[in-house]
Amino acid sequence: MNHVIREAYGAVFEDALIEELIEISTIYDFEEGDKLIEIGEYIKKMPLLLHGAIKIMREDKDEGELLLYFIEKGDTCAFTLICSLGEKRSEIRAIAETSGSLAMVPVSKMEEWMGKYRSWRNFVLNSYNNRLSEMLVAVDNLAFMKMDDRLLSHLQEKAKINNSTIINNTHQEIAYELNTSRVVISRLLKSFENDGLIRLNRKNIELLHSEK
């Protein structure tokens, strides 16, 4: 556990903070598809992502879902920070995009470290800023980008997150993430294949080119 925490956060936090993290953190391993945070849950501990990738989803009033952003190694989730510190119920759903592990930090330590460690304070503030920027991108994509551009951008992001051109998601799963219908996604994917951008295989999608 020690080396995993140091590898993920050693360049960000002071040695004293790393030692505290090693001492008080609970390590939680997860697999692709695991639901890590559910809407309506109280969050007692803040997760620090040691490796892997997690997608953060928002649910609308009609029970649809929308992908807000991904978090990767060395990240945390701004929504989780807000809910855990304010003792509020979660307004997001976190689902594992890949297998990985988390270091779970008690809320009491989060508040203590804000005054004790400059690196922690900077980390929390930067996390808020980064997630807000990603949220604005998600809003802009939803408001201004056509669905075909959103879909291609989404496939590129998944390829980057997974470090692979093979995307192991069904058309229905992608439709959920983009808050649209499977029929629309299937039609656009077929169009992408005809344009030579992707290859549709039986169980996955292969990204061939990144530009339309």
Side-chain angles (χ1 to χ4, degrees):
M1 181 180 79
N2 294 16
H3 75 280
V4 177
I5 291 179
R6 289 188 185 280
E7 181 185 356
Y9 293 96
V12 179
F13 298 146
E14 298 104 319
D15 287 342
L17 177 52
I18 291 291
E19 291 302 324
E20 284 204 55
L21 271 172
I22 291 171
E23 182 179 353
I24 58 90
S25 294
T26 302
I27 304 301
Y28 175 76
D29 296 322
F30 57 83
E31 299 296 329
E32 178 183 346
D34 285 354
K35 192 176 294 183
L36 306 176
I37 299 173
E38 182 54 282
I39 294 170
E41 290 181 348
Y42 283 107
I43 299 172
K44 304 297 185 181
K45 295 185 177 182
M46 190 188 84
L48 299 177
L49 189 53
L50 301 177
H51 67 89
I54 299 170
K55 57 188 176 185
I56 305 300
M57 311 289 293
R58 185 83 163 94
E59 189 175 76
D60 68 21
K61 62 182 179 181
D62 298 318
E63 301 300 320
E65 288 186 319
L66 178 66
L67 175 67
L68 297 180
Y69 50 78
F70 291 97
I71 60 174
E72 300 178 76
K73 174 182 173 180
D75 287 339
T76 190
C77 176
F79 281 106
T80 304
L81 287 168
I82 294 169
C83 292
S84 57
L85 287 172
E87 298 183 356
K88 298 179 179 179
R89 293 181 184 272
S90 173
E91 296 181 356
I92 57 93
R93 178 176 292 121
I95 300 173
E97 176 72 11
T98 69
S99 61
S101 61
L102 295 164
M104 306 299 288
V105 180
V107 174
S108 59
K109 285 294 181 181
M110 292 170 52
E111 297 175 295
E112 175 188 329
W113 291 345
M114 285 292 287
K116 188 175 180 180
Y117 296 111
R118 176 177 294 182
S119 65
W120 179 260
R121 186 165 61 252
N122 290 339
F123 172 73
V124 170
L125 294 175
N126 286 336
S127 295
Y128 280 130
N129 183 63
N130 292 339
R131 301 294 86 80
L132 177 59
S133 296
E134 290 168 340
M135 281 282 295
L136 291 175
V137 170
V139 171
D140 285 346
N141 289 348
L142 187 61
F144 304 118
M145 289 182 71
K146 296 187 299 181
M147 181 54 71
D148 58 344
D149 292 328
R150 286 179 60 203
L151 175 57
L152 185 58
S153 176
H154 185 63
L155 295 177
Q156 292 166 354
E157 182 68 12
K158 276 187 169 288
K160 174 178 171 291
I161 290 290
N162 289 277
N163 194 31
S164 172
T165 58
I166 302 299
I167 298 165
N168 295 305
N169 288 104
T170 66
H171 297 192
Q172 184 63 70
E173 288 170 340
I174 295 172
Y176 277 136
E177 293 173 349
L178 295 179
N179 199 18
T180 188
S181 71
R182 183 193 60 78
V183 173
V184 168
I185 294 301
S186 296
R187 175 175 56 80
L188 290 175
L189 288 174
K190 189 61 180 178
S191 176
F192 287 172
E193 185 176 49
N194 292 337
D195 290 341
L197 299 175
I198 64 171
R199 180 179 294 115
L200 294 174
N201 301 315
R202 184 175 180 181
K203 295 185 178 180
N204 57 51
I205 301 165
E206 183 178 0
L207 189 63
L208 302 177
H209 299 284
S210 62
E211 297 181 0
K212 293 175 64 176

